[in-house]
Amino acid sequence: MIVAEKISEVKAQVREWKKAGYSIGLVPTMGYLHEGHASLIKRARQENDKVIVSDFVNPIQFGPNEDLATYPRDFDADCKLCESIGADLIFHPEPVEMYGDAFFSYVGVNTLSEGLCGKSRPIHFNGVCTVVTKLFNIAEADRAYFGQKDAQQLAIVRRMAKDLNYNIEIVGCPIIREEDGLAKSSRNTYLNAEERKAAVILHKALTKGEEMVKAGEKDAKKVVAAITEIIESEPLSKIDYVELVDYEKLQPVETIDGPILTAVAVYIGKTRLIDNFIAE
Ligand code: AMP
């Protein structure tokens, strides 16, 4: 597996692969890889000749009071995992390699970025879209893999690729969970033992919501109320949002009809966790 820190190294390798006619799959990550990331890399491995994993804690998607400095990192472990599942190249740039001494250009997707996580993280998705655009341009991939765990991010990247005519297929992959249902996340490492137990409340509440929708409930307010009640029963939790939105423009819905994203963001202690389900 090639370990590249420079954009020029990745571009040179991509040029060779393209010349040889290989297809390329890209998996953008912020590192501290777990089985959720691994599922994306394995899928990319199955569907492409060459697989590039980017491993970069992207500073411009963190707000001033967020966890950029403390975000967990373990590049050696990430390399081992990537190599063991057959990635061909891991791209691990320093922030200065990506953004230089000065950086003035941003990519954003209006409307879809404004609700859900965008409300409490106003610059987040512009940071994501900008780094993803850069990675698309560097890797020239045929396919890029994103988890439904970050459902808003996936919808925004899909929209960006469509609106801006990217020649790249965006592949959405299912949420990988711990045995008790907690969605795997690099941020789960922030939870102490008591908080870790409490964190299962997100999955419990969403499971109830999903059952209601599957049973034919059409009133979004009732689903929000049921999910909210379950989450609030956990004393360590504090809700950021519980929302049902259409899974295209991510606008709140009153009536459940068509593809609906039900998404929650909840603080467990100081750790903000997200989870969701999609009803087609
Ligand atoms: P991150 O490193 O958190 O930026 O995540 C990188 C990619 O992995 C994103 O597309 C995430 O949606 C995806 N991902 C993270 N956690 C999971 C999970 N539990 N299941 C599936 N995909 C995930």
Side-chain angles (χ1 to χ4, degrees):
M1 186 179 72
I2 300 160
V3 179
E5 292 186 352
K6 299 284 175 226
I7 294 168
S8 57
E9 288 173 78
V10 183
K11 283 191 160 182
Q13 188 57 64
V14 164
R15 255 197 311 275
E16 264 184 41
W17 286 341
K18 291 261 161 194
K19 223 192 277 169
Y22 292 138
S23 62
I24 299 175
L26 170 69
V27 184
T29 82
M30 295 207 301
Y32 211 70
L33 304 179
H34 51 66
E35 285 165 47
H37 301 108
S39 72
L40 272 53
I41 300 168
K42 286 177 187 162
R43 174 96 183 259
R45 177 69 288 156
Q46 284 166 8
E47 297 178 352
N48 302 276
D49 297 318
K50 298 290 174 189
V51 175
I52 298 178
V53 178
S54 66
D55 185 309
F56 176 58
V57 182
N58 176 34
I60 68 165
Q61 71 186 64
F62 287 78
N65 298 317
E66 294 182 356
D67 57 345
L68 173 62
T70 54
Y71 195 84
R73 293 160 167 92
D74 188 344
F75 186 59
D76 288 343
D78 291 351
C79 282
K80 282 194 189 111
L81 178 73
C82 285
E83 186 139 42
S84 75
I85 52 183
D88 296 287
L89 188 152
I90 185 164
F91 177 43
H92 184 57
E94 289 293 329
V96 68
E97 175 69 7
M98 290 296 268
Y99 297 114
D101 298 330
F103 189 81
F104 303 106
S105 309
Y106 288 84
V107 182
V109 175
N110 295 341
T111 304
L112 285 76
S113 298
E114 285 150 22
L116 304 175
C117 290
K119 262 191 220 150
S120 54
R121 307 188 74 190
I123 62 152
H124 176 67
F125 290 111
N126 284 6
V128 169
C129 288
T130 303
V131 79
V132 167
T133 293
K134 287 170 71 70
L135 293 168
F136 284 2
N137 290 334
I138 293 164
E140 291 182 54
D142 299 274
R143 296 176 196 84
Y145 295 80
F146 294 86
Q148 190 206 303
K149 158 85 186 346
D150 300 272
Q152 185 174 16
Q153 169 175 285
L154 173 57
I156 288 171
V157 170
R158 269 194 209 293
R159 188 79 221 183
M160 178 181 86
K162 181 170 184 265
D163 285 356
L164 302 183
N165 306 101
Y166 275 103
N167 221 348
I168 186 165
E169 182 188 343
I170 307 300
V171 183
C173 302
I175 303 175
I176 304 297
R177 299 180 177 280
E178 303 287 353
E179 253 173 48
D180 65 0
L182 175 66
K184 285 189 185 264
S185 164
S186 308
R187 289 192 168 98
N188 291 350
T189 176
Y190 297 147
L191 302 168
N192 66 29
E194 198 190 352
E195 290 167 345
R196 172 63 189 80
K197 271 194 208 147
V200 76
I201 203 68
L202 280 80
H203 180 58
K204 266 197 194 149
L206 284 167
T207 303
K208 170 70 184 168
E210 195 166 10
E211 280 167 14
M212 288 172 75
V213 174
K214 280 199 177 135
E217 180 58 66
K218 294 283 170 218
D219 185 346
K221 274 204 196 94
K222 284 191 186 158
V223 178
V224 168
I227 292 173
T228 302
E229 190 185 334
I230 295 173
I231 296 174
E232 284 179 343
S233 73
E234 169 49 63
L236 293 181
S237 75
K238 190 170 151 279
I239 291 175
D240 180 3
Y241 66 77
V242 175
E243 279 194 56
L244 272 73
V245 298
D246 73 86
Y247 199 44
E248 197 202 343
K249 297 190 184 140
L250 306 184
Q251 299 304 299
V253 295
E254 287 184 3
T255 306
I256 300 168
D257 176 27
I260 298 287
L261 167 68
T262 302
V264 305
V266 179
Y267 287 93
I268 301 290
K270 289 199 170 109
T271 304
R272 185 175 175 280
L273 300 176
I274 57 172
D275 201 347
N276 68 80
F277 71 86
I278 293 167
E280 298 294 338

